[in-house]
Structure formats: C-alpha cells, structure tokens
Amino acid sequence: MTRFRLRTWIVPLVFAAHPLPGAAQSGANVARAYREAHEAEIVSDFAEMLSYPNRARDTEDITRAATYIRDRLREVGVESRLLKIEGAAPVVYGELRVPDAARTLGIYVHYDGQPVDPSNWTHPPFEPTLYTASMEVGGEPRPLPEPGESVDPEWRLYARSAGDDRAPIAAIIPVLRAFREGGVAPTSNLIFFFDGEEEAGSPHLGEYMERAKEMLEDIDIWLFFDGPAHQSGRPQLAFGVRGAMGMEVTVYGATRNLHSGHYGNWAPDTGNILARLLASMKDDDGRVLVDGWYDTVEPIGAEERAALEAMPPVDADLKRELGIVRTEGEPATLPERLLLPALTVRGITSGNTGSLARNVIPNTAVASLGIRLVKGTEPAHMRQLVIDHIERQGFHVVSEEPDMATRLRYPRIAKVTGGTDGEPAARTDMANPYVQEIIGAATRAADRAFGKGSLVLAPGMGGTLPLYLFTDVAGKPAINVPVANHDDNQHAPDENLRIANLWYAIDLYAALLTMPVPVF
Amino acid sequence: MTRFRLRTWIVPLVFAAHPLPGAAQSGANVARAYREAHEAEIVSDFAEMLSYPNRARDTEDITRAATYIRDRLREVGVESRLLKIEGAAPVVYGELRVPDAARTLGIYVHYDGQPVDPSNWTHPPFEPTLYTASMEVGGEPRPLPEPGESVDPEWRLYARSAGDDRAPIAAIIPVLRAFREGGVAPTSNLIFFFDGEEEAGSPHLGEYMERAKEMLEDIDIWLFFDGPAHQSGRPQLAFGVRGAMGMEVTVYGATRNLHSGHYGNWAPDTGNILARLLASMKDDDGRVLVDGWYDTVEPIGAEERAALEAMPPVDADLKRELGIVRTEGEPATLPERLLLPALTVRGITSGNTGSLARNVIPNTAVASLGIRLVKGTEPAHMRQLVIDHIERQGFHVVSEEPDMATRLRYPRIAKVTGGTDGEPAARTDMANPYVQEIIGAATRAADRAFGKGSLVLAPGMGGTLPLYLFTDVAGKPAINVPVANHDDNQHAPDENLRIANLWYAIDLYAALLTMPVPVF
C-alpha cells in the first residue's frame, strides 16, 4: 500500500503570534463580527459550492467538487491537497499548524451527497435555490442576496447536501478567513479530512486513513462535522452513532408468475409467505423477535444515562409533526430507542399494486431489511442471527437464485443477500478530557447562539457514520458535532439548510478553534 | 336505454336443406377434411387476425379488430354487425338461423386481449410469429406456411391473445366455411356474441346484453369459448367459474419517509405493519383466516363430486413443472381447491429493494389483494368480511388518504379500496338436458381428436368469466368450452397457441354445430 507522504508545512505568518489569554472569547467575537458584515457573501459562496454535483460515484463530478473545496481551503491558509486512491473519490486533506498548539483537532466532513432523482425535487438539486422560509410553512423562492443586503436567518437554501454535509465547509471557511483578517490564531493544530464517499458507505475511508496514518497520528480528538441538530431544534453533541447494514430476503413460489384464478388457493402465495416471515421478526410493539438480537448490546454508563435523562423530550412534538399516534417500543423515548439495534423494512417488492396490479400470483417476493447496530452488536454476528431466524421459520436459505433441483427439494426457500459489508457502531466515553473540552466550547457557542443551556448532549445518534474507523481502528476519541437543522430533508428531495444553522456553525467552529490551553 | 333492434335475417340458401340423419358425423368429417386441405391458410388467416392490436381501451384499435372479425363472419354466411355503446368496445354480434333448428346456441368469445408490455416479449405481441415448438423446449421461429405446405400440429403461433381468446374465432370461421362449401347445415341456430372488453372486466357486457335482450331471448344454452384446456393437456368442459375482485390495502406510518437511522426502532415500520396484517389473513397451510370466509360456500352436488373424482390427477406433474414442493391446502388437489374462495397477494409495494433500496422507513406500504369467489360467496359480502377483519386487527379503516386529524386520532390506519365491482362466480347444473347434449358432442370430438375418454369434465374452473350474466342474470345454462393449450402463457408475455389445439377446436365446433335433434 502506498502511504500518503507527510509534507513540511510552512506555518502561515498570520497565525504566528501565540494567542493571548482571552483569545477564545475574542476569536468568537471576530468570527461573529465577520459573519455579520458578510452574510450575503457567505450565503452566495455556499450556493456556489452546492452547485457542484457530488454523487460519490460520478468520478469527474466528485473530483471537481473536491478541487473546488481544496482551492477554497487554500485561500484561507490551509495547506490542502487531494489524496487519491484509484477508483475512489478523493479525500480533501488539509493541515493548519500553529506554534505551541494545545492539541490537534481532526476535522471530518463529507462533501459527497446522496444520489438524487431530480423529478422529485421542486428545483434541480444542483441549482441552489434560496427560500424566505421552509417550503412547508409557505416560504417563497427569492434571489441570492446582493453583497451588503441583510439576510434573514429563517431563510433556507435548497440543494442536495445543503444540510448533509457541505454546510460545515461553508462555515469553517469564513471562520478561518475572519481569523486571518482579524489576526486570531487557532489554539489547536487542525487536520482536515473530507470524505467523498460517505453516502456510498465510505468504502475507501479505511484505506485512506491507513495510507495517511502518519499524517493523522498526532490528532488528539476527531470532530465529526455531520448530521442534523437535535429534533427540538437545539444544538447538540453526540458521542456515538449506530452502525448500519442492509440485507435482502427473496422468497420463492412457482418458477413463473401464475394466474391467480387458475392457481389461487393452490400455488404458494409469495406475498403471504414473505409477510409471515417479516411478521415473525418483530412483534406489534416493535420488539425484534430474532433470537439473541439484544443479547450483546453493551450497556451505557452513568454519564451517558445522565445525559439521556437531561435530554429535552421530543417524542410528543415529533409525533404531532409526523402524524403518528403510536411509536415502536412505547413508552420508551426516541433517544432510548436509538441505543438499541433496529430492524426495519426498507422496501418490499412483489408483483404490482395500483393500476399496475394484475391477476397473478407473483413468483417472488422481496424484502429489503435495514439494520442499525449499537455498540456490542457486530455486523457479522447480527447477520447470522437473521439467517438463523429465517431458517428457524422453516426456510432453506440460499445465497443464489435456486435452481430447479433446489426448488424441488425444499418446501420453503429464501435467498438472503447483503449484510457482509456492515458498518459497526461506535461510542466515545464522555469522561475523556478532550471530550470535556469540546463539551465546554460547544456549550459556550450554543449558549451564545441559541440561549443558555441550549446544548443537548446525546449519548447516541440513530444514524451511521464511519466513526468506528476513528474510535475502534485508530483508537481516538471522536465526537459528532452536527450543525444542520433537524428538518433539513437529508437523504430526501428538497434538502435544505436553515441559514440560522449556518450562523450557529460559524459561532461553534470559532469557539472550538479557540479553546483555551488545557490545564490538565 | 336504447335497445339493439332485431333484424329480419335472410336464411342463407346454402343452409336451406334440412340435415339428413347422420349429419353430425358428416359435418365433423367435412370440417376435418376441409381443415386438412387448408391448414396453411387457416394458420395464416389466424396470424392475420392476431396482427390487430386488441386492448379493450384503445378504442380505434379495438374497433378495427372488431370490424375485421365482423367481415370474416359475413364471408361465411353469418349476418354480423357491431353493436355499439358509447365509450365501450363494440360487441361483434352475429346470427345464423337454420330451418327447423333443434335449438339455439349462444356463442360467447372475447376478442380483446390483456394489455402488453412489449419489452417483455420475445417478438412484438402483434407481430404473430410461428415457432416449430414451444420456446421452452427449444422451438425455433419459422415463416408462416405457404398454401398447401404441411403444418406440424406441434407448431405454436406466438402473439397476444393467440390463446386467450382469438383462437375460437380462428376455428369457427373455417368450420362455417367448410359447411358452406360442403353443403352441411348446422342443426342449431347460432347467435354469436363477441365481447371486446373481457380483459378489462367486461364493464359493459351487462348493458350490452340488456339492450340486446330480445335478440338473445331464444338462446337455449350459452357456450363460452374461452380459457385453456385441462393442465393434463386433455380437452375439457367446465361448468362453473370463480368470480373475482381486487382490493387494495394501504397502511400508514409517518407523513413522510423517515431516515432509518434517525428513526429506526421508533417510527412505525410500515413494511412490518403490513406484513403482520397480511400474515393475519392466511395461515401457513393456506387457510384463509378472515372470519366467515368459507361459511357461505354453496356445496357441490353428487354429479359434480363424481366429475371431480374422475378428473385426471395433475398436482404432481404441475408441481414438478413449476418447481413447487408444497402447495396451499395440501393434500387437497388443485380441482378441489378451485371450489373454494381464494385470497392471494397480487402485489406489495413499499419503498424499494435491490439497487434502489435506500435507508428509509417508507411512509406507506401497499398490498393488492386478489380474491376469487365461488358460488355462494357474493362480492359485497366478501369485501365486507375483509374490511371487518382489518378492523379486528386494530386498524381504523378509511377509503381516502387520511388527513392529519385522522392520523393523529388512530394508532393504526388502513385505507381499503376496490372490491366494489367484483364479478360473481357462476355454476351450471351438469344434469341440465342441454348440458348433457353438449357433453355428448364434446365427448365425440375429444375422442376423435385426442383419443377415447380424453374429455375432462371440470365442475369448476379457477379463472373468471362474466358467466353469471348468462346464468344468474339471464337465467340460462352456460358451459365453458375451452380449446387453448394449458401452457399458452395467457395474461403473460409470449402468449401462444399450439396448432394441435386449433385443430381440436375445429373438430369440436363441427361436432357442436351438428348435434342431432334431441329426443327429449
């Protein structure tokens, strides 16, 4: 494996002076003042970045998107370059070293976005469109602001990956620019590591990190700038993510679709067979019935339990917003439920419905299962539990389309695929001293941007990030530091960022970059 | 309602002579000899008819297809015209009256075909293509035969509605031509009534029959020329059909798709909810668990029971052919199972599977249910049983998309649509004297074409035809007289007719048209 080489960086002169005591507050003020003076430009620059299509697998597009970001980082004094592995989207790497740095922060962002189906979008996903408010509450499209024009923090910028996950890039760049122009030096060395394949499952991230090992070695803590704010709208830090894997189950009837008149009541009814199998996997209360499903879950500690209990209640509001009366696992709350492994149906396909429905008994029925893992539930183990469960329901499990001999041997056959490239969960101990520093800085920024006591500490987030590569493989603490609004439609059409959340990101990053020299 | 008017028909001179005793055998011989002398032309004429697209809802196409058939009927002495109801495909009506007719036979055929998706067909569905054998056993395409060229009865003609249901038209026309040329008069008056909307559920057939009431009044027995032969490959007569209806159930989760990471374990899992509902409807042995499902089934009589027991066993061969080890309701046989109402899943749609699967919890899951009815199970009643069952599973049943107020009132909501235009089942008493005559004639034709004792008498077919309009509404006996090969891929791509079955149809119709004057 070719290792990415270390370079000798020249420390930018502008950051040469050691920060004075009080630099933290001053840095935050400088960034805030800069933002207030340049709101229109910051929004327009963000829109420009969002106009670069960024699907991980479109190599030319993603490389253009990466190059754009590299160049913007260079403009603000970051020594930046693209790391490249053949056949993979590049990593945008950057380094900013300061004299007498108190620590080294690793900053992870992903600059790729979910695939898009433009036909479901109100505007083309890579033609960023500014709205006066969210579409749901009657926001109207409006032009990008002219330089100097005032910006309403309730405006929303609609485009793919506005929230997930290019907003952090759009915020860190003006912070660094403000610091350069204001003569503020960060108190930590900064290592930027921007993934271009997160939405494709970060298939090369481990290899990128291994090749860049020496360049990442002195990082003390990783900050994951990704994900949305807490559902209450309040800012949050999160100390763990769930892992994820997908599996697919296909059950078989006759070798071909059969006429439902001529064979109905006799031919295997694939839809019903699959339904019975899925029903066997989870009870009406949302408890997964797969044997051993919860057995290996690592219990949380006292600190995490306390954080959990201090979290603002969200269930009632969310249920009202989403039109739900009853949730899985009631009365357990959403944050509690996110600390357990989940099994959901991502999709079912069999025959047709609606105007396409025909009088057949489909020869197959397929279910795509989404599985979320927590600390202690390893992908390979959970995959095997699912297979064991399917076998216990009387199915002969195969991994390929069954041939005629197989069909004529077993009364019930299920093909099970996927789940071999599952991503493990990760969790970082909240008592770690570097973690405590981050909690402190984020608390200051959140107090300022959203009011005293607004920061939420979430022991575990429901989504999945390749955090385990940092925590378990590289052995560093890693915290999720999200900034996007919780209703940003990530992974969906009409993804957007609320401008107020961009302003919060600027405050937050300024605070993180000027954390005082630790006393420990 | 405008009634279709009776016309005074001029009896074609060629049929003026009363048939001599022995006309039956002679008619059959004349038809057989004519067929043997004109095999290539009969096949080519059939191909020409099949080149007319015939989807019921394509008004221009279906009218062209109808006109073509009307003109061919006129050529063989049938007074034929199109009956038309605004917005409906025409009925091809025809009348052939003979002096001293022993009875009047009503002949039903449908000339429309199932919708096609040409991309699934080996050849375009309306470019009839002759094969040297079925594609499955390695048949090869070949040109249509030249006049006089010998025709292999194992050849297959591939085109939409080759089997279902234009083959009977392709057979009756040469029989009538043979009779004209050979001076044979039918022993019955013939009324042709060709439906152009059967595959669309015959929505206007009842109205057509009502308007044509006077023209149909003196029919003694209806013959339904439709459907495939018995699965054993042997010819059959059938004395009942199942009714059919479709229903659709949609279950609801949140108002929008949710991220399976952020909400998995908490949000309603629509795929699982639907699966549990479907699983509640039928047990693993194929017994429908909807309360009252079997309660109103009209039991069959002794004659039907005897016929059932005399039917050749097909289950073992069918299972081998279709790659099935276990059927619903084992050890009950297929013919037995067809005498019960069926509930099958025609399709399930929720989210996506395969490469389109995404990390969401779909906001809906939809199942299309196919229901087959038997005598005694009325559509409206069975529909209500399904709704009652869904309610008993804890669902609030609605017929429209639920609004927010409804969503926030009920923990489980199911939208149920369809089933209001169900088609009832029908059965004709096998002891009826006209029925006995038909059994006699068909036995003679089958003995001749396929060997002594080959005719199968099936108390009930699994499929659905609008037979109840004839039996229950018009009050006449009605028998299903199928001729197509059982493996004709009806309702599917690569539909085809085996030429041997066309030859059988010619023998059969010749026998039916020359049944002796009854002694009763």
Side-chain angles (χ1 to χ4, degrees):
Chain A
M1 183 163 63
T2 315
R3 294 194 176 277
F4 296 119
R5 286 162 303 123
L6 276 173
R7 290 183 183 181
T8 307
W9 300 108
I10 295 156
V11 179
L13 282 183
V14 73
F15 291 134
H18 193 281
L20 303 171
Q25 194 48 41
S26 143
N29 286 338
V30 164
R32 170 72 73 105
Y34 178 89
R35 183 264 288 178
E36 285 170 354
H38 298 87
E39 291 185 344
E41 293 89 328
I42 295 169
V43 169
S44 297
D45 287 351
F46 188 19
E48 183 174 288
M49 176 165 53
L50 292 173
S51 71
Y52 284 79
N54 65 342
R55 204 178 80 112
R57 290 186 173 121
D58 297 334
T59 312
E60 285 183 24
D61 279 351
I62 197 77
T63 302
R64 260 193 299 270
T67 304
Y68 176 84
I69 294 166
R70 179 201 65 190
D71 293 346
R72 298 293 81 72
L73 284 174
R74 286 179 174 172
E75 284 171 6
V76 293
V78 178
E79 292 284 348
S80 180
R81 61 183 167 123
L82 302 188
L83 310 184
K84 285 184 185 165
I85 288 173
E86 181 68 27
V91 160
V92 182
Y93 178 80
E95 213 173 303
L96 185 68
R97 295 196 176 265
V98 292
D100 304 320
R103 66 190 83 66
T104 299
L105 301 178
I107 294 173
Y108 172 96
V109 175
H110 70 88
Y111 67 91
D112 67 315
Q114 276 273 321
V116 289
D117 177 355
S119 67
N120 295 327
W121 286 65
T122 306
H123 302 279
F126 298 109
E127 293 180 13
T129 308
L130 193 62
Y131 267 66
T132 58
S134 112
M135 287 180 187
E136 281 79 13
V137 301
E140 296 287 341
R142 53 145 295 145
L144 288 172
E146 296 297 324
E149 195 178 344
S150 80
V151 169
D152 183 338
E154 290 306 322
W155 287 355
R156 301 227 177 180
L157 190 54
Y158 283 85
R160 171 53 88 216
S161 70
D164 178 24
D165 179 38
R166 290 196 279 197
I169 306 171
I172 193 76
I173 287 169
V175 169
L176 293 173
R177 189 176 321 241
F179 282 11
R180 269 168 83 93
E181 295 186 5
V184 176
T187 54
S188 309
N189 294 320
L190 306 176
I191 307 280
F192 298 92
F193 204 79
F194 293 176
D195 189 357
E197 298 184 320
E198 200 269 346
E199 299 295 3
S202 297
H204 300 91
L205 183 59
E207 187 179 344
Y208 269 121
M209 289 183 65
E210 181 59 30
R211 288 210 207 175
K213 203 170 182 177
E214 293 171 59
M215 296 145 71
L216 308 176
E217 223 158 33
D218 61 347
I219 288 173
D220 295 301
I221 184 167
W222 277 97
L223 304 180
F224 265 64
F225 290 173
D226 192 12
H230 188 256
Q231 285 97 337
S232 62
R234 286 163 55 179
Q236 71 176 336
L237 294 182
F239 304 90
V241 292
R242 291 201 286 193
M245 60 192 227
M247 295 180 72
E248 191 149 296
V249 184
T250 305
V251 301
Y252 296 86
T255 46
R256 53 183 166 87
N257 288 347
L258 293 179
H259 188 283
S260 60
H262 301 144
Y263 297 100
N265 247 11
W266 180 87
D269 180 3
T270 49
N272 187 266
I273 291 168
L274 181 68
R276 299 184 63 75
L277 175 59
L278 294 176
S280 76
M281 292 185 176
K282 186 152 72 172
D283 73 14
D284 195 42
D285 294 325
R287 185 170 176 83
V288 177
L289 300 173
V290 172
D291 237 32
W293 192 252
Y294 302 106
D295 290 358
T296 59
V297 173
E298 248 181 42
I300 54 170
E303 237 128 2
E304 282 76 12
R305 172 61 55 190
L308 200 60
E309 278 163 14
M311 289 178 78
V314 292
D315 284 56
D317 282 353
L318 263 179
K319 285 161 78 170
R320 202 158 29 240
E321 176 194 333
L322 298 171
I324 302 172
V325 171
R326 181 178 171 203
T327 56
E328 285 196 342
E330 285 188 333
T333 63
L334 176 56
E336 288 167 342
R337 296 288 295 169
L338 298 184
L339 296 171
L340 291 173
L343 177 65
T344 57
V345 178
R346 303 194 300 181
I348 307 179
T349 310
S350 182
N352 272 307
T353 61
S355 60
L356 296 173
R358 286 172 52 205
N359 285 327
V360 295
I361 301 171
N363 60 343
T364 60
V366 185
S368 175
L369 304 177
I371 293 170
R372 295 285 164 165
L373 306 163
V374 299
K375 201 73 187 151
T377 59
E378 293 306 315
H381 174 66
M382 300 304 271
R383 178 177 185 275
Q384 191 57 49
L385 292 184
V386 172
I387 291 174
D388 291 349
H389 176 88
I390 295 171
E391 283 177 343
R392 266 197 300 278
Q393 307 310 306
F395 289 85
H396 174 68
V397 172
V398 294
S399 55
E400 305 280 343
E401 204 71 7
D403 59 16
M404 199 58 165
T406 306
R407 286 171 172 276
L408 290 176
R409 188 167 312 128
Y410 301 99
R412 291 272 186 268
I413 300 171
K415 182 176 74 173
V416 180
T417 57
T420 51
D421 56 351
E423 209 166 321
R427 203 154 73 207
T428 284
D429 185 357
M430 287 177 67
N432 177 293
Y434 288 109
V435 173
Q436 287 292 320
E437 285 189 314
I438 302 292
I439 292 175
T443 302
R444 286 193 295 278
D447 285 354
R448 182 170 191 182
F450 293 105
K452 189 108 187 121
S454 59
L455 188 69
V456 175
L457 303 179
M461 305 235 315
T464 299
L465 300 170
L467 215 57
Y468 74 99
L469 289 173
F470 302 80
T471 52
D472 293 50
V473 179
K476 312 276 189 177
I479 309 183
N480 187 253
V481 185
V483 294
N485 38 301
H486 81 283
D487 56 352
D488 67 346
N489 290 341
Q490 69 172 57
H491 290 208
D494 293 339
E495 183 174 349
N496 64 84
L497 191 82
R498 178 170 160 256
I499 299 302
N501 287 66
L502 193 61
W503 297 169
Y504 165 60
I506 289 173
D507 283 357
L508 174 63
Y509 299 163
L512 292 173
L513 266 51
T514 54
M515 288 187 295
V517 178
V519 290
F520 54 86
Chain B
M1 184 162 64
T2 317
R3 294 194 174 278
F4 296 119
R5 286 161 303 124
L6 276 173
R7 290 184 183 181
T8 308
W9 300 109
I10 294 156
V11 178
L13 282 182
V14 70
F15 292 134
H18 193 282
L20 302 169
Q25 193 48 41
S26 142
N29 284 340
V30 164
R32 170 71 74 106
Y34 178 89
R35 184 264 288 178
E36 286 170 353
H38 299 86
E39 291 185 345
E41 293 90 327
I42 294 169
V43 170
S44 297
D45 287 352
F46 188 19
E48 182 173 289
M49 175 165 55
L50 293 173
S51 70
Y52 284 78
N54 65 341
R55 204 177 81 111
R57 290 187 172 117
D58 298 334
T59 312
E60 285 184 24
D61 279 352
I62 197 76
T63 303
R64 260 192 299 272
T67 305
Y68 177 84
I69 294 165
R70 178 201 65 191
D71 293 346
R72 297 293 82 71
L73 285 173
R74 285 178 174 172
E75 285 171 6
V76 293
V78 178
E79 290 286 347
S80 179
R81 60 183 168 121
L82 302 188
L83 309 184
K84 284 184 187 168
I85 289 174
E86 181 66 27
V91 160
V92 183
Y93 178 81
E95 215 174 303
L96 185 69
R97 295 196 177 265
V98 292
D100 303 321
R103 65 190 85 65
T104 300
L105 302 177
I107 293 173
Y108 172 96
V109 175
H110 69 89
Y111 68 91
D112 68 315
Q114 276 273 320
V116 288
D117 177 353
S119 67
N120 295 327
W121 285 65
T122 306
H123 302 279
F126 298 109
E127 293 180 14
T129 308
L130 193 61
Y131 268 66
T132 57
S134 115
M135 288 181 188
E136 281 79 12
V137 300
E140 297 286 341
R142 56 145 293 146
L144 288 172
E146 297 297 323
E149 193 178 343
S150 81
V151 169
D152 183 338
E154 289 308 322
W155 287 356
R156 301 227 177 180
L157 190 55
Y158 282 85
R160 172 52 91 215
S161 70
D164 179 23
D165 179 38
R166 289 195 277 197
I169 305 171
I172 193 76
I173 287 171
V175 169
L176 293 174
R177 192 178 317 256
F179 282 11
R180 269 167 82 94
E181 294 184 5
V184 178
T187 54
S188 309
N189 294 319
L190 305 177
I191 307 280
F192 298 92
F193 204 78
F194 293 176
D195 188 356
E197 298 184 320
E198 199 269 345
E199 299 295 2
S202 297
H204 300 90
L205 183 60
E207 188 180 342
Y208 269 121
M209 289 181 65
E210 181 59 30
R211 289 210 206 176
K213 203 169 179 176
E214 292 171 58
M215 295 144 71
L216 307 176
E217 223 158 35
D218 60 348
I219 288 173
D220 295 302
I221 184 165
W222 277 97
L223 304 180
F224 264 64
F225 290 173
D226 192 12
H230 188 257
Q231 285 96 338
S232 62
R234 287 162 53 179
Q236 72 176 336
L237 294 182
F239 303 90
V241 292
R242 292 202 286 194
M245 60 193 226
M247 294 178 74
E248 191 149 295
V249 184
T250 305
V251 302
Y252 295 86
T255 46
R256 52 183 167 88
N257 288 347
L258 292 179
H259 188 283
S260 60
H262 302 144
Y263 298 100
N265 246 11
W266 180 86
D269 181 3
T270 49
N272 187 266
I273 291 168
L274 181 68
R276 299 184 63 76
L277 176 58
L278 294 177
S280 76
M281 292 185 175
K282 187 152 70 172
D283 72 14
D284 195 43
D285 294 325
R287 184 168 176 83
V288 178
L289 301 173
V290 172
D291 238 32
W293 192 254
Y294 302 106
D295 290 358
T296 58
V297 173
E298 248 181 43
I300 54 171
E303 237 128 3
E304 282 76 13
R305 173 61 56 191
L308 200 60
E309 280 162 15
M311 288 179 76
V314 291
D315 284 57
D317 282 352
L318 263 179
K319 286 162 78 170
R320 203 160 27 243
E321 176 194 333
L322 297 171
I324 302 171
V325 171
R326 182 178 169 202
T327 55
E328 285 195 344
E330 285 187 334
T333 63
L334 175 57
E336 287 167 342
R337 296 289 294 170
L338 298 184
L339 296 171
L340 291 173
L343 177 65
T344 58
V345 178
R346 301 194 302 179
I348 306 179
T349 309
S350 182
N352 272 307
T353 60
S355 59
L356 296 174
R358 284 173 52 206
N359 284 327
V360 295
I361 301 171
N363 60 341
T364 59
V366 185
S368 175
L369 303 176
I371 293 170
R372 295 286 164 165
L373 306 163
V374 298
K375 200 75 185 149
T377 61
E378 291 308 315
H381 175 67
M382 299 305 271
R383 178 176 185 276
Q384 192 56 49
L385 291 184
V386 171
I387 291 173
D388 291 349
H389 176 88
I390 295 171
E391 284 177 343
R392 265 197 301 277
Q393 307 310 306
F395 289 85
H396 174 67
V397 172
V398 294
S399 55
E400 303 281 343
E401 204 71 6
D403 59 16
M404 199 57 164
T406 305
R407 286 171 172 275
L408 290 175
R409 188 167 311 128
Y410 302 99
R412 292 272 186 268
I413 300 171
K415 182 177 75 174
V416 180
T417 56
T420 51
D421 56 352
E423 209 166 320
R427 204 155 70 209
T428 283
D429 185 357
M430 286 176 67
N432 176 294
Y434 288 109
V435 173
Q436 288 291 321
E437 284 189 316
I438 302 293
I439 292 175
T443 302
R444 286 192 296 280
D447 285 353
R448 181 170 191 183
F450 293 105
K452 189 108 187 120
S454 60
L455 188 70
V456 175
L457 302 180
M461 305 235 313
T464 300
L465 300 171
L467 214 58
Y468 73 100
L469 290 173
F470 303 80
T471 54
D472 292 52
V473 179
K476 312 276 187 176
I479 309 183
N480 185 253
V481 185
V483 295
N485 37 301
H486 81 283
D487 57 352
D488 67 345
N489 291 341
Q490 69 172 53
H491 290 207
D494 293 339
E495 183 175 350
N496 65 84
L497 190 84
R498 177 169 161 257
I499 299 303
N501 287 67
L502 192 61
W503 297 169
Y504 164 61
I506 289 172
D507 282 357
L508 174 62
Y509 300 162
L512 292 172
L513 266 52
T514 54
M515 287 187 296
V517 177
V519 290
F520 56 85

